[in-house]
Amino acid sequence: MDWDTHKKLLLKDPGFRKALKETELEYQVARNIIKARIEKNLTQAQLAKKLKTRQSVISRAENAKTVPSLSFLKRLADVLHMSLRVELK
């Protein structure tokens, strides 16, 4: 079974849809961290060194195992020479 077929099956489950909606923000944060790191051609270990933290911290953030603090995201944007935008819509 391919991913699209499997995803359609999962989305039929109301519990899955609810869990997906509840974790969307964490997923988007993790995805953006990964994208930014890759755009800068950095490994997790290299990024951790620039942030003066451990590679496991980067891994947990990228795997949405933790919700990064705003101060972490500010430091991340700073070391990657990127801007950080938080929106409430």
Side-chain angles (χ1 to χ4, degrees), residues 6 11 28 30 34 37 45 51 58 75-76 80:
H6 184 64
L11 289 172
Q28 290 300 328
I34 294 167
R37 178 178 59 77
L51 287 169
I58 306 303
R75 287 184 15 236
L76 177 66
L80 294 178

Side-chain angles (χ1 to χ4, degrees), residues 25-44:
L25 182 58
E26 290 85 352
Y27 169 77
Q28 290 300 328
V29 170
R31 185 171 176 219
N32 283 316
I33 292 171
I34 294 167
K35 182 180 176 193
R37 178 178 59 77
I38 290 172
E39 284 176 359
K40 299 297 182 175
N41 294 313
L42 296 170
T43 66
Q44 288 182 348

Side-chain angles (χ1 to χ4, degrees), residues 23-80:
T23 59
E24 179 65 22
L25 182 58
E26 290 85 352
Y27 169 77
Q28 290 300 328
V29 170
R31 185 171 176 219
N32 283 316
I33 292 171
I34 294 167
K35 182 180 176 193
R37 178 178 59 77
I38 290 172
E39 284 176 359
K40 299 297 182 175
N41 294 313
L42 296 170
T43 66
Q44 288 182 348
Q46 290 168 328
L47 179 56
K49 186 174 182 179
K50 287 180 174 286
L51 287 169
K52 296 181 174 64
T53 190
R54 296 179 314 276
Q55 178 271 332
S56 61
V57 171
I58 306 303
S59 177
R60 284 194 302 274
E62 289 187 359
N63 286 296
K65 300 286 184 191
T66 185
V67 179
S69 67
L70 187 54
S71 63
F72 175 86
L73 294 174
K74 287 170 148 176
R75 287 184 15 236
L76 177 66
D78 186 50
V79 301
L80 294 178

Side-chain angles (χ1 to χ4, degrees), residues 10-23:
L10 290 171
L11 289 172
K12 290 180 181 180
D13 177 358
F16 178 83
R17 284 195 313 272
K18 181 181 178 194
L20 185 64
K21 185 177 180 179
E22 289 173 352
T23 59

